[in-house]
Amino acid sequence: MKKSTLLAALLLTITFSYSQSAKKLVKTGITKFQKEDFKGAIAEYTKAIEIDSNYADAYFYRGYTKFTLKDYQGAIIDYTKNVELDPKSYDGFIDRGDVKYILKDYKGAIEDYTKAIELNRNFVDAYYNRGNTYYRIRRNNEACLDLKKTAELGKPYVYDLIKEYCK
């Protein structure tokens, strides 16, 4: 009994240490990103993932950095892993939706924006982005609803769009 308790405590300590190291690497990556050392940031996030392959935030930040570098396929892979590990990552869904929008996968973008809205009903950017995507594919009724919701949530900059989209 003592051996199994000792082993469990040791494994917990090792897991906690790995997790702490991965978090430190992500923080270092964020600092490098802020200094526009994007390749250095990716290297830090990758090291964090090597230490803890289940650390969802490391995938999110690496995806965001890849998105910044216009590595859209790499960003989608990382955002997908982020939302697989953290299905409540509404930021992961909206950012993956943004990449899909750029790649003209409008259906996929709408699905991701919708998921982000399901997870956070007040996520104004998700309504705004989904509304613009609906407009892009000529689904003006849905676009109007989302842009009106954006305005309702306190973003008055959409009133000109509402006038244009909701004729």
Side-chain angles (χ1 to χ4, degrees), residues 18-167:
Y18 282 150
S19 177
Q20 287 299 98
S21 296
K23 286 181 182 181
K24 286 180 184 177
L25 288 165
V26 167
K27 283 184 179 181
T28 302
I30 291 168
T31 300
K32 287 185 178 194
F33 179 91
Q34 291 168 337
K35 293 178 181 178
E36 297 186 9
D37 177 7
F38 303 125
K39 290 183 180 180
I42 287 174
E44 296 299 309
Y45 304 138
T46 301
K47 287 179 203 171
I49 290 166
E50 288 169 358
I51 290 171
D52 183 355
S53 62
N54 292 316
Y55 188 32
D57 286 350
Y59 291 99
F60 175 81
Y61 287 110
R62 190 173 71 175
Y64 187 79
T65 305
K66 288 178 179 179
F67 176 76
T68 301
L69 293 171
K70 298 183 181 184
D71 173 7
Y72 300 129
Q73 294 304 325
I76 284 182
I77 290 167
D78 282 342
Y79 286 138
T80 298
K81 188 67 174 178
N82 168 258
V83 299
E84 285 173 2
L85 293 170
D86 181 5
K88 294 182 180 182
S89 176
Y90 52 85
D91 287 325
F93 282 106
I94 192 171
D95 284 8
R96 188 175 70 178
D98 291 346
V99 176
K100 289 178 179 179
Y101 180 89
I102 288 169
L103 296 174
K104 298 182 180 175
D105 175 8
Y106 301 124
K107 181 178 182 261
I110 288 168
E111 289 170 0
D112 281 345
Y113 297 144
T114 300
K115 185 64 179 174
I117 291 166
E118 288 171 7
L119 293 168
N120 181 351
R121 290 280 178 205
N122 294 317
F123 197 3
V124 67
D125 291 339
Y127 286 104
Y128 178 76
N129 292 0
R130 188 175 70 176
N132 278 322
T133 307
Y134 278 136
Y135 184 73
R136 180 75 140 166
I137 60 172
R138 294 182 169 83
R139 289 175 57 184
N140 292 1
N141 290 338
E142 291 96 333
C144 286
L145 290 173
D146 279 348
L147 293 174
K148 288 177 181 177
K149 183 67 176 181
T150 301
E152 178 186 314
L153 290 171
K155 299 297 181 181
Y157 59 82
V158 298
Y159 287 123
D160 288 339
L161 292 176
I162 291 170
K163 288 178 191 172
E164 180 184 337
Y165 292 4
C166 305
K167 295 177 180 178

Side-chain angles (χ1 to χ4, degrees), residues 3-18:
K3 283 184 182 179
S4 63
T5 303
L6 183 60
L7 181 60
L10 180 62
L11 287 173
L12 187 60
T13 301
I14 291 169
T15 302
F16 181 74
S17 296
Y18 282 150

